């Protein structure tokens, strides 16, 4: 990793930033990945993974560009070093708003198709930092290993920050027979052995987005389960190439190597979700944040508030992309004066503005935790995520409908440039004030965002990632305090009970 030292002549502080090339070098580490029964020698042997790696590498290079510096980096007050904003722990409303710039940057960089870009996992570590006071008095409930949870949380945040680390996170367990509690319990990642130096864990995690393209895996069993057996109550992190970790990738759905004209988004690659096997994996004592304590697992919700803020912000950015694409459709088809079409675009605008309003409200109502970390309002985040998943399918359909036959009848660059038939396409398919190829590029973008295989996977992920609507409503029931509303009714109605 490049480390720049401050000199009398230097105008910039010491930095702890990787270049894109340095990031890519960290991935050639012997990690074990299988795709379709084929074991990769290295992650970049799979074209879709390689394209995604290049996209992430460009984010590292952007840290050194003036136009992206504010969004991607900041000076850490404790060290005076220039570091990635992904690892910023906000202590004021201003710092919270500044951290959001990184989310907006990665969302635009990936067109919102990476549900877990490189700055998502650090948001969970920030959540642990925000609530580390709750872990101060907790002790290991697994005999033989006694980590200091708070010390480890603080050290891991500093480790990630100083290494410009890219981490993945996987909280969900494998899908099993839901009618059999024992089957679900058996799928938990669990401690098989404890030593003074650390623990050994076995089991599996699923939907490990970006794991194949990251340095570390940050893991736990999905929290809030007070019946989770002590050996399954574990939070920790290890390098993704640790002995015993095996990744089995889902099917690729992007279009790596495709002409950028034909697939403006899908050609960029993807975050490939991994089924991650832990086969007697050693987790050092210093990388354990909870061990054996079911009450510690119940902090999953509060700890993940920053991750949920990330999700909602990314959805707001993507919604704004939908509005931009919709406006361009009206422009190139010349349909902007049709009242019905205006109303359709109005629905896209309503969706985007509402999601943005939830983000703004969550930040406006943010409060510091006992550890002094400024934390967004959880009920606004939950309500915003609920609104997003309920409306996402409708918004996609509206954008498709605005395009009409443009999405059904698409042609690639090769067809337009073919000397025998290309001139027909160019002559017969122009838009309002644009060439046929310019119109086609817009349709290709919208196809990738709403209709192709990548778009289908993203739509499914958004729903699963946010939790089903009934579960979010249950969370709202728990999160929103209603006593003040009841008192208002009593006061107005003169009720004395």
């Amino acid at each position: 990793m490049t480390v720049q030292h401050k000199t009398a002549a230097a105008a910039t502080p010491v930095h702890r930033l990787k270049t894109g090339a340095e990031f890519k070098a960290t991935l050639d580490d012997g990690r074990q990945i299988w795709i379709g029964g084929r074991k990769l020698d290295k992650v970049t042997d799979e074209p879709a993974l390689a394209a995604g790696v290049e996209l992430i590498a460009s984010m590292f290079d952007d840290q050194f560009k003036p136009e992206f510096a504010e969004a991607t980096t900041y000076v850490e007050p404790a060290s005076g070093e220039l570091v990635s904003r992904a690892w910023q722990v906000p202590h004021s409303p201003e710092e919270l708003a500044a951290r959001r710039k990184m989310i907006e940057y990665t969302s635009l960089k990936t067109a919102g198709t990476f549900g877990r870009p490189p700055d998502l996992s650090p948001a969970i570590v920030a959540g642990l930092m925000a609530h580390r006071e709750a872990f101060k008095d907790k002790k290991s409930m697994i005999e033989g290993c006694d980590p200091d949870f708070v010390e480890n949380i603080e050290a891991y945040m500093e480790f990630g920050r100083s290494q410009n680390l890219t981490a993945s996170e996987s909280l969900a367990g494998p899908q099993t027979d839901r009618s059999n509690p024992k089957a679900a319990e058996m799928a938990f990642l669990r401690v098989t052995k404890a030593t003074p130096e650390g623990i050994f864990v076995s089991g599996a995690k699923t939907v490990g987005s970006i794991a194949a393209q990251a340095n570390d895996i940050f893991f736990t069993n999905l929290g809030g389960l007070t019946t989770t057996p002590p050996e399954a109550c574990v939070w920790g992190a290890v390098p993704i190439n640790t002995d015993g970790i095996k990744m089995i990738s889902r099917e690729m759905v992007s279009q790596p190597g495709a002409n950028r004209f034909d697939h403006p988004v899908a050609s960029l690659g993807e975050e490939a979700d991994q089924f991650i096997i832990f086969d007697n994996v050693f987790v050092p004592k210093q990388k354990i944040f909870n061990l054996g304590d079911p009450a510690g697992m119940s902090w999953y919700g509060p700890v993940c508030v920053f991750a949920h803020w990330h999700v909602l912000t990314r959805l707001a950015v993507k919604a704004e992309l939908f509005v931009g694409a919709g406006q361009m459709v009206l422009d190139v088809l010349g349909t902007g004066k049709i009242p019905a079409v205006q109303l359709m675009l109005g629905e896209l605008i309503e969706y985007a503005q509402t999601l943005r309003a939830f983000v703004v409200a969550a930040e406006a109502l943010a409060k510091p935790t006992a550890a002094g970390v400024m934390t967004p309002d959880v009920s606004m985040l939950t309500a915003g995520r609920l609104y997003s998943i309920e409306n996402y399918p409708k918004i996609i359909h509206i954008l498709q409908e605005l395009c009409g036959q443009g999405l059904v009848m698409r042609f690639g660059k090769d067809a337009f440039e073919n000397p025998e038939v290309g001139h027909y396409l160019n002559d017969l398919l122009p838009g309002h004030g644009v060439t046929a190829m310019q119109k086609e590029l817009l349709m290709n973008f919208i196809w990738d965002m709403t209709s192709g295989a990548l778009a289908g996977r993203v739509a499914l992920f958004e729903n699963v990632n946010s939790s089903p609507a009934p579960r979010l409503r249950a969370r709202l029931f728990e999160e929103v305090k209603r006593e003040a509303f009841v008192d208002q009714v009593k006061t107005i109605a003169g009720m004395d009970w």
Side-chain angles (χ1 to χ4, degrees):
M1 180 174 66
T2 302
V3 178
Q4 177 182 331
H5 297 284
K6 186 185 294 184
T7 66
T12 56
V14 174
H15 75 69
R16 297 286 181 177
L17 305 173
K18 288 190 181 86
T19 64
E22 289 169 333
F23 160 69
K24 288 190 286 186
T26 67
L27 305 183
D28 190 10
D29 58 3
R31 60 190 59 198
Q32 298 191 65
I33 313 171
W34 280 259
I35 296 181
R38 172 175 59 98
K39 185 179 182 182
L40 303 182
D41 289 331
K42 52 185 179 180
V43 64
T44 49
D45 285 347
E46 165 55 45
L49 288 174
V53 167
E54 290 296 333
L55 180 59
I56 297 170
S58 72
M59 299 181 195
F60 282 86
D61 286 334
D62 282 350
Q63 296 176 122
F64 298 92
K65 298 177 181 178
E67 63 268 35
F68 299 116
E70 183 180 1
T72 60
T73 65
Y74 77 107
V75 175
E76 169 57 33
S79 65
E81 296 174 332
L82 188 70
V83 296
S84 168
R85 200 178 283 285
W87 293 91
Q88 182 176 18
V89 180
H91 292 92
S92 69
E94 293 76 19
E95 290 181 356
L96 190 63
R99 175 62 179 85
R100 173 168 37 82
K101 292 178 182 178
M102 181 72 173
I103 306 173
E104 292 167 341
Y105 161 81
T106 56
S107 299
L108 287 173
K109 193 78 176 180
T110 63
T113 63
F114 277 49
R116 291 173 179 155
D119 63 319
L120 187 279
S121 187
I124 297 179
V125 186
L128 282 172
M129 288 287 289
H131 296 286
R132 62 190 185 276
E133 294 295 314
F135 291 82
K136 183 171 290 185
D137 297 324
K138 293 188 180 299
K139 302 294 183 182
S140 169
M141 297 178 70
I142 299 291
E143 186 176 352
C145 186
D146 188 23
D148 185 321
F149 301 137
V150 173
E151 181 178 295
N152 289 354
I153 289 167
E154 294 173 342
Y156 193 76
M157 173 57 74
E158 179 53 35
F159 170 70
R161 182 185 291 141
S162 65
Q163 297 299 309
N164 202 177
L165 191 75
T166 294
S168 172
E169 56 86 15
S170 185
L171 309 179
Q175 188 180 67
T176 58
D177 179 0
R178 294 296 182 89
S179 69
N180 182 355
K182 286 295 181 183
E185 187 177 303
M186 287 301 295
F188 278 146
L189 192 66
R190 62 184 59 230
V191 178
T192 56
K193 180 181 178 182
T195 73
E197 293 75 32
I199 57 174
F200 290 84
V201 297
S202 291
K205 304 306 298 178
T206 190
V207 197
S209 307
I210 217 174
Q213 298 144 314
N215 305 122
D216 271 21
I217 176 70
F218 188 87
F219 60 85
T220 186
N221 290 313
L222 202 59
L225 304 173
T226 55
T227 58
T228 303
E231 65 271 18
C233 296
V234 56
W235 289 54
V238 290
I240 203 68
N241 69 333
T242 300
D243 287 345
I245 290 182
K246 298 177 175 65
M247 293 180 282
I248 306 171
S249 181
R250 62 156 170 78
E251 181 184 18
M252 297 297 156
V253 293
S254 59
Q255 299 281 339
N259 189 289
R260 187 75 183 273
F261 176 90
D262 298 351
H263 290 285
V265 178
S267 62
L268 300 176
E270 60 189 286
E271 53 170 11
D273 307 299
Q274 305 294 316
F275 188 74
I276 307 172
I277 309 297
F278 288 73
D279 185 2
N280 209 34
V281 171
F282 179 70
V283 184
K285 175 182 177 180
Q286 295 77 13
K287 298 291 180 71
I288 300 171
F289 315 121
N290 181 49
L291 186 57
D293 187 353
M297 301 296 284
S298 69
W299 281 88
Y300 161 79
V303 163
C304 287
V305 164
F306 283 96
H308 296 158
W309 173 58
H310 188 292
V311 170
L312 185 59
T313 301
R314 178 180 55 80
L315 285 165
V317 170
K318 186 158 63 169
E320 290 160 358
L321 289 176
F322 291 157
V323 172
Q327 179 60 57
M328 290 185 70
V329 170
L330 269 61
D331 293 340
V332 304
L333 295 185
T335 55
K337 293 184 179 181
I338 301 174
V341 173
Q342 293 175 350
L343 295 179
M344 292 168 69
L345 184 61
E347 287 200 63
L348 300 187
I349 296 170
E350 174 193 343
Y351 177 70
Q353 292 291 82
T354 303
L355 292 187
R356 182 59 70 174
F358 275 118
V359 172
V360 171
E363 294 177 15
L365 296 175
K367 294 179 181 178
T369 63
V373 179
M374 190 61 63
T375 305
D377 181 79
V378 65
S379 63
M380 284 296 176
L381 296 177
T382 302
R385 292 190 299 130
L386 175 59
Y387 178 83
S388 75
I389 63 170
E390 286 185 320
N391 287 277
Y392 191 90
K394 180 177 72 171
I395 295 304
I396 293 296
H397 177 72
I398 291 171
L399 186 52
Q400 292 170 330
E401 204 166 37
L402 285 173
C403 296
Q405 66 170 268
L407 292 185
V408 177
M409 297 295 293
R410 293 186 314 113
F411 304 95
K413 191 174 184 180
D414 287 346
F416 276 97
E417 294 182 343
N418 183 281
E420 292 187 69
V421 298
H423 63 94
Y424 292 116
L425 299 177
N426 283 295
D427 291 345
L428 299 174
L429 293 175
H432 177 69
V434 297
T435 67
M437 286 191 71
Q438 288 170 329
K439 177 165 69 75
E440 193 70 3
L441 177 57
L442 173 61
M443 295 300 172
N444 290 343
F445 173 81
I446 294 173
W447 172 270
D448 278 357
M449 293 290 284
T450 70
S451 308
L454 178 63
R457 177 264 167 193
V458 171
L460 290 171
F461 176 86
E462 300 295 17
N463 190 63
V464 173
N465 191 43
S466 285
S467 297
R471 185 174 179 182
L472 289 178
R473 291 192 188 96
R475 289 195 59 168
L476 280 176
F477 183 86
E478 298 296 329
E479 292 168 355
V480 177
K481 306 304 178 185
R482 301 177 291 280
E483 292 81 3
F485 304 152
V486 171
D487 289 342
Q488 289 170 345
V489 172
K490 289 182 175 181
T491 298
I492 293 172
M495 301 174 181
D496 58 359
W497 71 86

